[in-house]
Amino acid sequence: MPHRVAVIAPSPVSMFNVAIPELLFGKVEVDGRPGYEVIVCAADPGPVPTTGGLDLYVRHGLDAVREADTVVVAGTGTPFEPEARIVAAVRAAAADGKRIASICTGAFQLAEAGLLQGRKATTYWAHADELRKRYPQVQLQGDVLYVQDGPYVTSSGYAAGIDLCLHIVRTDYGAAVANEVARLALVAPVRPGGQTQFTHTPLPPERGTACADTRGWAMRNLDKPLTLTDLARHAGVSVRTLTRRFHAESGVSPLQWLLHQRVERAKELLETTTLPMDQVATACGLGTADSLRAHLVRRTGLTPSAYRAQFSRLSTADGAAGMKQPA
């Protein structure tokens, strides 16, 4: 028997969220037979409004959840208003020992059902703070693609649902089947859940300009081994005064700010050049390829070579040309 998956569509539902499980699970074949049976269901069968302004016709009600082995809750445009019937359905499914997953803001339904209490979970980064505020007992992992804690799997926004579904396929049928599904769907192979969402994560907004010249000078000299003393000397103040002013303006210490800028420069060089790793490390002031690797893995969950393979914007020829230019 194929593994049965019920995809719950809260109103207004994200059509992309609903399409992901059907697309990926529908491509799984094991010994020439379908690996999954996917049924989309809703609290009110019939036309279900979507976040795009269209209606999605859903034939099945929440009874489908009782017959499923895995339940996937799609994201909704009203995440802060969990549907009581959906909450009850996923709570009952959890009590029956079913695997429960959510894509994007579907995590709010799981949290409302009490399934994520004391567990690691994630959701779309733009709503992470709200989930943390409403459900403080959830161990929110705000910067990952997906996370599994026991029978509960949650993903961040949009395309991270692809990673979640491939993770489920790999869990059920192995890496070879999951990678074949990825190939057929023309998407990236299974990515580790610990990889970050790659959202723009700026430092806290700056609240002053006293250190602006020094920050600009540091940005132009990231390839040099700058110290607190160097920064203070440029600013014309003591190290203690620099640290106090810097934190007041930027929200972080000078060295935290400097490390953030070095890693951002490293990411930029990995995306736009084919510089060897030791040269990237030197150009951004991280020193060695090992240091570059350690900081990038800590920040993104990817090694420098993996980051470049995924995000490189240039052809090899373009990258070689870029190597001749100053960093």
Side-chain angles (χ1 to χ4, degrees), residues 12 21 25 31 39 60 73 75 83 123 138 150 172 220 226 240 252 271 282 304 308 312 325:
F25 294 141
D31 297 329
I39 296 176
H60 302 279
V73 183
E83 160 61 56
T123 189
V138 177
D172 293 341
R220 295 189 297 274
L226 301 177
R240 184 173 182 177
V252 294
E271 293 174 15
T282 299
R308 170 173 278 166
S312 177
Q325 302 174 0

Side-chain angles (χ1 to χ4, degrees), residues 11 88 113 144 187 217 249:
S11 175
V144 300
V187 298
W217 172 79
E249 292 182 13

Side-chain angles (χ1 to χ4, degrees), residues 5-318:
V5 178
V7 180
I8 300 178
S11 175
V13 69
S14 163
M15 292 182 67
F16 185 47
N17 281 191
V18 171
I20 289 171
E22 190 281 327
L23 171 66
L24 296 177
F25 294 141
K27 292 187 179 299
V28 176
E29 285 193 2
V30 180
D31 297 329
R33 298 181 179 179
Y36 295 93
E37 176 187 355
V38 181
I39 296 176
V40 178
C41 58
D44 295 306
V48 175
T50 70
T51 54
L54 303 175
D55 284 346
L56 179 69
Y57 192 87
V58 178
R59 293 188 176 88
H60 302 279
L62 294 177
D63 288 349
V65 172
R66 291 199 293 266
E67 305 300 321
D69 303 300
T70 293
V71 179
V72 179
V73 183
T76 173
T78 56
F80 312 144
E81 303 172 12
E83 160 61 56
R85 288 169 293 175
I86 293 177
V87 170
V90 297
R91 186 182 291 129
D96 288 340
K98 303 179 190 295
R99 177 172 54 198
I100 315 293
S102 67
I103 299 175
C104 195
T105 56
F108 283 82
Q109 310 278 350
L110 274 60
E112 182 69 16
L115 307 186
L116 304 181
Q117 186 168 354
R119 294 184 180 271
K120 295 179 181 178
T122 192
T123 189
Y124 183 44
W125 67 270
H127 297 309
D129 287 344
E130 188 67 27
L131 190 142
R132 186 182 288 110
K133 182 174 69 175
R134 290 171 179 264
Y135 308 101
Q137 299 305 313
V138 177
Q139 297 180 29
L140 188 66
Q141 313 291 295
D143 63 348
V144 300
L145 293 176
Y146 63 89
V147 60
Q148 177 162 3
D149 191 332
Y152 309 122
V153 196
T154 53
S155 79
S156 56
Y158 299 107
I162 296 174
D163 298 289
L164 177 142
C165 290
L166 289 176
H167 167 73
I168 289 176
V169 174
R170 180 177 59 183
T171 300
D172 293 341
Y173 294 109
V177 173
N179 287 333
E180 176 64 11
V181 170
R183 187 184 69 82
L184 292 173
L186 300 177
V187 298
V190 182
R191 297 187 288 179
Q195 183 170 317
T196 66
Q197 299 180 31
F198 295 107
T199 57
H200 179 53
T201 53
L203 294 174
E206 296 178 357
R207 295 182 290 272
T209 60
C211 295
D213 288 344
T214 297
R215 286 194 294 269
W217 172 79
M219 289 291 292
R220 295 189 297 274
N221 291 275
L222 287 178
D223 58 324
K224 297 179 175 63
L226 301 177
T227 65
L228 270 176
T229 300
D230 294 329
L231 295 171
R233 184 181 298 115
H234 183 275
V237 297
S238 68
V239 168
R240 184 173 182 177
T241 298
L242 173 82
T243 301
R244 175 171 50 80
R245 289 181 180 176
F246 217 100
H247 198 282
E249 292 182 13
S250 65
V252 294
S253 73
L255 293 183
Q256 287 175 321
W257 178 89
L258 190 60
L259 178 59
H260 178 91
Q261 303 304 334
R262 293 192 191 285
V263 174
E264 290 302 305
R265 176 66 60 82
K267 289 160 63 176
E268 179 183 347
L269 292 173
L270 290 170
E271 293 174 15
T272 59
T273 77
T274 57
L275 284 167
M277 298 307 171
D278 57 344
Q279 293 187 33
V280 172
T282 299
C284 64
L286 290 174
T288 66
D290 287 342
S291 177
L292 168 65
R293 178 188 178 92
H295 286 295
L296 199 69
V297 168
R298 188 177 301 117
R299 188 68 61 88
T300 70
L302 294 178
T303 64
S305 57
Y307 186 92
R308 170 173 278 166
Q310 183 157 341
F311 293 100
S312 177
R313 303 173 187 174
L314 301 178
S315 66
T316 301
D318 289 336

